[in-house]
Amino acid sequence: MSPHRDDDPSALFGRDGRPRSRPQSQGTWQPQGQPGQGPRDYRVDEDAFDELDDFHPPNPKNPLAGAKPGLVLGTALFLGSLVALLLLIWLPVSLPGIVATGLVGLALAGLVVLFLQMPQSRSGGGDGAQV
């Protein structure tokens, strides 16, 4: 066995910079049937990956399908009235002042509905360090 380690450059090159001859020792591992090949010469069987490519992502459902009706109503009231109010501000139309007051009222009603949908008590008594 050589007194040098495999990753030691002095085992590969002499002092003059020329490569040293490396005699095959009996302690080196060689794969059977394929002498001189190592881990970098490994080839992957492509047919094995065909069996693994059977994954198809699930079809996402409609996010509103399982939502609470009160949550959808409150969100629609709040966001719809805010968008309508912003459009009325920027559009060059003249509407009575009651329209703006009504839209602000609808936004507040949407907020009230959303706050009523919040849970009344916490579920679980953990310390919050859960993933």
Side-chain angles (χ1 to χ4, degrees):
M1 183 169 250
S2 173
H4 301 288
R5 294 181 4 202
D6 288 340
D7 60 344
D8 187 14
S10 63
L12 302 176
F13 299 101
R15 291 189 182 267
D16 56 355
R18 286 185 280 171
R20 291 186 179 181
S21 62
R22 298 186 64 194
Q24 281 289 348
S25 65
Q26 293 182 357
T28 18
W29 178 80
Q30 294 289 334
Q32 292 182 354
Q34 300 170 347
Q37 287 191 346
R40 292 184 182 169
D41 297 322
Y42 179 75
R43 300 286 180 248
V44 177
D45 183 21
E46 297 295 330
D47 295 333
F49 284 120
D50 291 339
E51 297 173 5
L52 298 176
D53 286 342
D54 291 340
F55 175 74
H56 298 287
N59 189 11
K61 295 180 181 179
N62 184 1
L64 296 178
K68 296 179 183 177
L71 186 66
V72 174
L73 176 69
T75 305
L77 279 176
F78 180 68
L79 293 179
S81 62
L82 284 182
V83 168
L85 190 60
L86 288 174
L87 284 177
L88 288 178
I89 289 173
W90 281 315
L91 290 177
V93 292
S94 176
L95 293 173
I98 190 80
V99 174
T101 307
L103 288 174
V104 170
L106 282 176
L108 291 175
L111 280 177
V112 168
V113 170
L114 286 175
F115 279 118
L116 289 176
Q117 296 298 316
M118 291 178 68
Q120 299 295 327
S121 63
R122 291 184 180 202
S123 62
D127 59 353
Q130 297 175 356
V131 177

